[in-house]
Amino acid sequence: MRSDVDVHEVRALYDRAMREHARPDGPGVRVERDGPVVRQVGGPDDWNGVVWSSPDLDAEGANAAIAAQIGHCAALGLPEFEWKLYAHDRPGDLGGRLRAAGFVPGPPETLLVAPAESLTGPVALPDGVTLRPVTDAAGAELMALAHERAFGTDGRRLLHQVVKRLERAPEDFVAVDGDGEPVCSGRLEVHPGTGFAGLWGGGTVAAWRGRGLYRALVAYRARIAAERGHRHLQVDASGMSAPILARLGFTAFGTTTPYVYRPAR
């Protein structure tokens, strides 16, 4: 852990700027305050879920808030709804209450933060590899295919989200092309006025790992964030990414776990 980082101070800033006062993460979505929680609402292909809950939330209030979000999900006919739970959220048994209500936890991720300026070094890539900013539908397809191959998941939802957002910020999406094939991709989410920029979706196809592509992708996005005046980079890191990011200078601020609710059909 970096000795010059005040974990409690930066985490409080993150909770306030990025969660309690969250901004929509794309066109066609909105952020709503519903009593003690803040949620994002969009269409069925957007990310829908709770991003913040009040630190004053008690057992009774938690149960009521959970029931309200389940009702909200049902009323909109959403295929799924997520409650993004952080380890320091209250009450301490909130995760258990979510499970009891039908939410299913996914793998926990580590919340990591680093000074953007410290990660803006040269972008070193192996021979035959090209880093391509995504600016059109063809680039979005390249990015989604790299994501599918890196994570073994369906990239159609990502493709939908990227195409919707291209007009706003084409340089926030990156695909890495190796020998004519998509081998790595990632996106940058900037949040004006918060001091934070998020690194999301960074992943490398298995056969290309260990060659510095992920580190180059971090440096490229860090440079964009720093140029726009964002002080902090933030990542919700998987178990695979967290050790790499820690070696690059990121500090762990706790964990976050996606609790997903899928209405019965």
Side-chain angles (χ1 to χ4, degrees):
M1 181 178 296
R2 291 170 55 100
S3 60
D4 59 338
V5 174
D6 187 322
V7 172
H8 296 292
E9 179 182 338
V10 177
R11 187 167 63 195
L13 175 63
Y14 177 83
D15 280 347
R16 183 171 62 254
M18 297 294 292
R19 300 182 62 202
E20 185 178 5
H21 299 288
R23 277 81 163 169
D25 69 3
V29 299
R30 61 190 183 276
V31 172
E32 301 175 337
R33 183 74 178 253
D34 183 17
V37 306
V38 172
R39 67 190 177 209
Q40 176 172 292
V41 179
D45 291 319
D46 295 307
W47 185 88
N48 293 274
V50 171
V51 296
W52 177 86
S53 59
S54 170
D56 298 324
L57 198 62
D58 59 15
E60 182 179 355
N63 290 339
I66 292 169
Q69 301 319 303
I70 290 174
H72 160 78
C73 175
L76 294 182
L78 297 174
E80 67 178 43
F81 187 83
E82 179 180 321
W83 189 302
K84 192 169 176 59
L85 179 68
Y86 291 76
H88 59 280
D89 287 346
R90 296 290 179 265
D93 64 350
L94 183 53
R97 294 176 184 277
L98 288 165
R99 286 193 297 271
F103 284 78
V104 177
E109 298 175 315
T110 303
L111 173 62
L112 295 165
V113 178
E117 197 66 51
S118 68
L119 297 169
T120 58
V123 178
L125 293 169
D127 291 341
V129 175
T130 304
L131 192 152
R132 304 180 184 277
V134 173
T135 59
D136 55 22
E141 291 179 2
L142 185 73
M143 180 181 179
L145 184 56
H147 185 87
E148 285 185 346
R149 293 178 177 179
F151 295 104
T153 56
D154 190 330
R156 285 176 294 181
R157 184 176 180 181
L158 173 64
L159 177 61
H160 167 82
Q161 293 172 343
V162 172
V163 169
K164 281 179 64 176
R165 293 169 56 183
L166 276 176
E167 292 185 3
R168 186 189 69 174
E171 70 272 28
D172 290 357
F173 305 97
V174 188
V176 179
D177 183 359
D179 294 337
E181 293 293 326
V183 296
C184 188
S185 69
R187 68 186 192 273
L188 172 72
E189 293 188 2
V190 295
H191 306 278
T194 68
F196 286 91
L199 304 185
W200 295 91
T204 305
V205 174
W208 285 82
R209 291 171 188 161
R211 306 192 198 185
L213 302 187
Y214 185 84
R215 293 192 300 274
L217 204 59
V218 170
Y220 179 88
R221 291 176 291 171
R223 186 166 64 243
I224 295 174
E227 287 172 352
R228 297 187 188 180
H230 296 280
R231 181 180 177 187
H232 302 290
L233 290 178
Q234 168 263 323
V235 186
D236 292 350
S238 68
M240 182 180 298
S241 301
I244 301 172
L245 293 165
R247 290 195 295 271
L248 292 177
F250 280 79
T251 296
F253 283 71
T255 60
T256 178
T257 303
Y259 280 78
V260 177
Y261 182 82
R262 294 184 176 90
R265 297 294 180 183

